[in-house]
Amino acid sequence: MATPEQMRDAVAAYIHEIHRSYVDQAVLFPPGVRGRMPLLAAQALTVAAVGARNLHLLATTDPLGPPREPEVVLDGGYGDCRWQVRFFDPVVLPSLGLLDETAAPAYAQVRHALGVGTVVYHVVAHPGAGLSAH
């Protein structure tokens, strides 16, 4: 059984790989196109790793305010892309414990719980899904 720290490291590594592949592909585009690409154009990018029944990875440019205990924050970067991963679960954000994801991922409800309107990407991993770069 993985520790919480190992799980957070695995999620952060997965996010790093998503962004690495994005940045590596971006070098093939003209500068004007790269400048409009959301992950490269963002001045401040936050990836919320939200643990409900499913794992939601939601990137936003909306400010989330300062972290509060017991929230964990990890900084990441690759090339010109910089981000901060913030981990949320029902202990950190109690409203997540009320989400019903028995039939399908609660995309809109997760966004609402975080209070974000701008979403750069929103990826969901179901229980048992592997977090590999492939």
Side-chain angles (χ1 to χ4, degrees):
M1 188 93 177
T3 66
E5 293 80 13
Q6 290 170 323
M7 292 300 294
R8 285 191 293 268
D9 288 345
V11 169
Y14 182 69
I15 292 166
H16 183 272
E17 285 303 307
I18 291 171
H19 294 180
R20 182 201 56 76
S21 64
Y22 185 93
V23 171
D24 286 351
Q25 185 65 37
V27 300
L28 302 175
F29 298 121
V33 172
R34 286 193 309 266
R36 291 187 303 274
M37 294 177 73
L39 293 184
L40 298 177
Q43 296 298 311
L45 182 68
T46 301
V47 181
V50 179
R53 182 176 199 279
N54 298 296
L55 172 64
H56 293 256
L57 303 176
L58 186 149
T60 184
T61 54
D62 289 354
L64 297 185
R68 297 178 54 188
E69 288 290 330
E71 185 183 344
V72 175
V73 179
L74 299 175
D75 292 322
Y78 181 79
D80 294 330
C81 185
R82 298 281 176 264
W83 62 89
Q84 188 175 70
V85 182
R86 293 177 61 171
F87 294 87
F88 298 94
D89 63 17
V91 173
V92 176
L93 192 57
S95 62
L96 294 173
L98 302 174
L99 299 182
D100 179 12
E101 293 195 304
T102 54
Y107 291 97
Q109 294 87 344
V110 166
R111 293 174 186 177
H112 179 75
L114 292 170
V116 299
T118 304
V119 177
V120 178
Y121 66 77
H122 189 162
V123 177
V124 173
H126 301 281
L131 296 177
S132 72
H134 303 285

